[in-house]
Amino acid sequence: MESEQGFGAILSFNATTNTLYEAGGGRTGLLIDRSASTSSIRTMLQKVTASLTARSNAHGNMQKLPKPSGSTAIVASIEELRQKHPACDTIICVTDGEENQFSGNVLTGQEDEDGDPVTEYIGPHTPGYIEKIAFHIEQMGVRLCVIGIGAQADTMVRALLHKKNVYVAKVEKEEPLRAIHSTVKTLLKMLDSPAQSCTRNGVQHTLLIPLSEEVQADIACMEDLADIEAAAPKICFE
């Protein structure tokens, strides 16, 4: 799926990050959640990761995914990937949850009486925390795709709707590989062709799921997924 440009870096993350793969020249970064809650989605992580990497330069070259532990620091992992791999102008994040680690000053989208941007200090217990995190991610200026897995990811991916240059999809924990692959494939197409049924003026307004119109059309094409089926169980864990 990333055969033309390839991955520049693949990192796992919880409260910190761990490099699983890096290559010069790649323009896409991949972040894979390994917080404690991902212990229950091992097979889904294999399917989603294989859908992203089986036809890329990272195929067969990734380090093992570390044991799940800790919290979910999405913002920090995005910042670290951008800092270490500035050539990666697109970041894909796979998560089963939501940001629960970030604390710091963020823009509110408002201005003071002098016309200067207003900032606010937020932490995990701040009311409206996830919505404020989503706005902060938009202000980071990164081109981002987020693939949420399961019910716990719902709040995060929905908060990221209506954000410029941010595209989101969600799959359930028991989705078959074909539905996962078509969802991921359609999501990545939105980066270059945002005129989809779930976007308006280039901004996504409806969550992409396996039942979405474009995903169903891709499923109906019955693409041969033998290579991805073979790759999924070879995504290894410590």
Side-chain angles (χ1 to χ4, degrees):
M1 192 161 294
E2 291 296 319
S3 58
E4 291 186 4
Q5 294 182 335
F7 286 103
I10 300 177
L11 281 62
S12 65
F13 72 95
N14 43 33
T16 59
T17 63
N18 183 55
T19 299
L20 306 177
Y21 174 80
E22 53 188 351
R27 300 292 299 276
T28 301
L30 174 59
L31 297 167
I32 303 173
D33 191 349
R34 288 306 280 153
S35 59
S37 60
T38 62
S39 61
S40 65
I41 60 164
R42 179 184 178 114
T43 301
M44 283 296 296
L45 277 180
Q46 288 177 313
K47 292 178 180 179
V48 174
T49 303
S51 291
L52 288 163
T53 64
R55 297 171 181 172
S56 79
N57 56 336
H59 176 57
N61 297 311
M62 282 177 53
Q63 300 293 320
K64 292 180 179 180
L65 287 162
K67 294 178 180 178
S69 65
S71 53
T72 308
I74 295 173
V75 171
S77 66
I78 292 172
E79 291 174 339
E80 185 165 346
L81 195 153
R82 294 178 77 192
Q83 180 180 6
K84 291 183 176 179
H85 303 277
C88 292
D89 54 15
T90 298
I91 296 176
I92 303 167
C93 177
V94 180
T95 182
D96 74 329
E98 59 189 43
E99 172 70 53
N100 57 22
Q101 187 73 15
F102 177 84
S103 295
N105 288 310
V106 299
L107 292 170
T108 65
Q110 300 176 337
E111 296 180 348
D112 63 19
E113 58 186 15
D114 296 320
D116 296 322
V118 174
T119 62
E120 173 189 11
Y121 184 88
I122 66 170
H125 300 295
T126 300
Y129 177 70
I130 295 301
E131 289 74 17
K132 292 174 181 181
I133 285 291
F135 183 73
H136 177 61
I137 288 174
E138 181 185 32
Q139 300 306 303
M140 291 170 73
V142 62
R143 196 164 76 144
L144 178 69
C145 288
V146 178
I147 302 166
I149 300 174
Q152 292 183 33
D154 195 70
T155 301
M156 187 80 221
V157 293
R158 291 188 183 279
L160 288 167
L161 290 170
H162 310 288
K163 303 294 184 287
K164 186 177 180 180
N165 290 324
V166 179
Y167 301 95
V168 292
K170 182 187 167 193
V171 292
E172 299 303 333
K173 291 185 178 182
E174 303 302 325
E175 296 284 4
L177 178 61
R178 186 167 298 278
I180 293 167
H181 176 73
S182 291
T183 303
V184 170
K185 183 178 176 181
T186 304
L187 177 68
L188 298 187
K189 282 182 178 179
M190 290 170 63
L191 291 169
D192 299 314
S193 180
Q196 307 277 336
S197 66
C198 56
T199 64
R200 187 178 295 117
N201 297 323
V203 176
Q204 187 176 354
H205 62 88
T206 303
L207 185 62
L208 189 72
I209 60 174
L211 291 177
S212 297
E213 178 182 335
E214 289 87 356
V215 178
Q216 284 294 302
D218 190 82
I219 291 172
C221 290
M222 296 301 291
E223 177 184 355
D224 185 0
L225 302 182
D227 57 335
I228 296 174
E229 290 176 352
K234 294 178 182 177
I235 302 296
C236 298
F237 299 83
E238 291 182 350

